[in-house]
Amino acid sequence: KELRSERDTLCLLIQQPKPQNAITIAVSSRVLFNMDKEQQIYEQKGMEEYLKYQIEHETEPFGPGPAFPFVKALEAVNTRLRELYPESEELFDVVLMTNNHAHVGLRLINTINHHRLFIERFCMTGGNSPIGYLKAYHTNLYLSADPMKVREALEEGIAAATMFNPPEKRTEVSETQLRVAFDGDAVLFSDESERIYKAHGLDKFFEHEKAHENTLLDHGPLKGFLESLGKLQKKFYAKGQRMDCPIRTYLVTARSAASSGTRALKTLRSWGLDTDEALFLAGAPKGPMLEKIRPHIFFDDQMFHVEGAAELGTVAAHVPYGVAQKRPQKKLAEENAKDSSAAAK
C-alpha cells in the first residue's frame, strides 16, 4: 500500500505530456509483460476461459516481458529530462496498446502498480486493429508480439517491430542509460542496396555502392525513431551533458566500412543525424558485438540476425520490411554465411 500511495502521489505531481509533444512508444501487453501462460489458455480453450482465468487471477501481477527493461530505461531518461527541463513536454510517453478485453484491465493496472511503472494511457481494443489509435497518439514506435499487427503498422508508415520471448540468458542492461542499436539497410535506410545484393550478389553490391557513394539512401521505417532519440540527446548536450547523456545509439551493420560504409554515413549526416557508435561488421555475426554493447533493444530486418543476437542474450526486435521478407530465412542465413567469408578476404 505504501508503494502504491507513493506512486500515486508521483503520478499526480507528474503531468502526462500531450501526444503531439511527446515521443510516444506504444507497447502491447504481451511484450511488456510475460503472458505466455494466459496466451496458451486463450489458444487452447478460447476467449471465455481466458477471460475467466484473468479475472480469477487479477490480483497476481504478470512478470516482466521482453520490452520491460526498455520501458524502465525510457522512464529513467524522463527523470533526467524533468530535472533539466521541468516545464517541457518533450518526453517519452508509454502507451499500453492491447487487443485485450476491458475485463483484463484490472490485472494490467495491478501489474503496472506492482512494478511501479508510470503508464497512464491504455488502449484496450477488444480484438480490433490498433492502427487508428496508434495514429491518434502520434506513435513514434510500436512494439508487439503479433507480426501481423506490426506489418499493418509499417504499411501505414508507423515505425514498428515484433518482439519475442526474452532470451533464457538475458544480458544485464544499464538502469540509467537507454541503449538502442539499429541495423542499417531496411531499418534506418531503405532496402534499395539490399535489393541489389539479393538480385546480383556481393560484387555487384560493392560496385553499386561505390558508384553511388554520393547518392543518398532513402529513409527506412525506423529513421524517424532515431531522429526522435537524437532530438532528446541534443537537449542533454545543450546542458553540457554530452558525456553523461542517458541515451546512446548504435549502428550495427553487415556493411563493410571501406567498400560500402561511406554512403551510410553520408546519408545519416545529410539527415542531421548520427549514432554514437557505428560498427561495420563486413558480414560477421552481430551477436558478439551486441553482447558487448548491451542494448535494451536491437532492431534488424532479418530473423537470423535477431535470433543470433538472442542466442547471446540480447533482446532483439524484427522489422518485417523490405526484400529480405520475400526470401526463406534459411536460404538467407546460408547466403550471409557464404558472403561473410567472401567479405573478409
Side-chain angles (χ1 to χ4, degrees), residues 185-321:
D185 295 290
V187 175
L188 291 179
F189 314 123
S190 74
D191 68 339
E192 170 209 324
S193 298
E194 203 159 285
R195 287 178 181 275
I196 299 292
Y197 162 56
K198 298 304 177 192
H200 305 291
L202 195 61
D203 290 341
K204 287 292 183 184
F205 166 78
F206 287 146
E207 288 177 20
H208 178 268
E209 291 304 291
K210 187 66 179 173
H212 293 82
E213 68 176 28
N214 293 315
T215 303
L216 303 178
L217 288 157
D218 199 359
H219 68 85
L222 266 71
K223 178 244 185 178
F225 181 52
L226 176 62
E227 201 167 31
S228 297
L229 294 176
K231 188 177 178 183
L232 291 186
Q233 283 180 309
K234 286 173 184 174
K235 292 173 76 75
F236 289 101
Y237 301 167
K239 297 287 188 177
Q241 296 194 12
R242 179 180 286 270
M243 301 308 294
D244 189 32
C245 182
I247 303 172
R248 194 164 184 84
T249 57
Y250 305 79
L251 172 65
V252 182
T253 174
R255 283 174 175 256
S256 303
S259 55
S260 56
T262 301
R263 193 179 184 197
L265 294 176
K266 283 185 176 180
T267 297
L268 287 173
R269 187 169 64 186
S270 76
W271 292 342
L273 299 175
D274 59 15
T275 55
D276 294 292
E277 298 185 32
L279 285 74
F280 293 91
L281 302 183
K286 298 180 180 182
M289 294 297 104
L290 291 165
E291 190 179 19
K292 301 299 181 187
I293 292 171
R294 297 173 178 262
H296 291 86
I297 192 167
F298 165 60
F299 297 100
D300 203 291
D301 66 306
Q302 301 191 38
M303 274 302 299
F304 64 87
H305 285 314
V306 170
E307 291 165 355
E311 285 173 6
L312 294 178
T314 297
V315 173
H318 181 230
V319 182
Y321 175 87

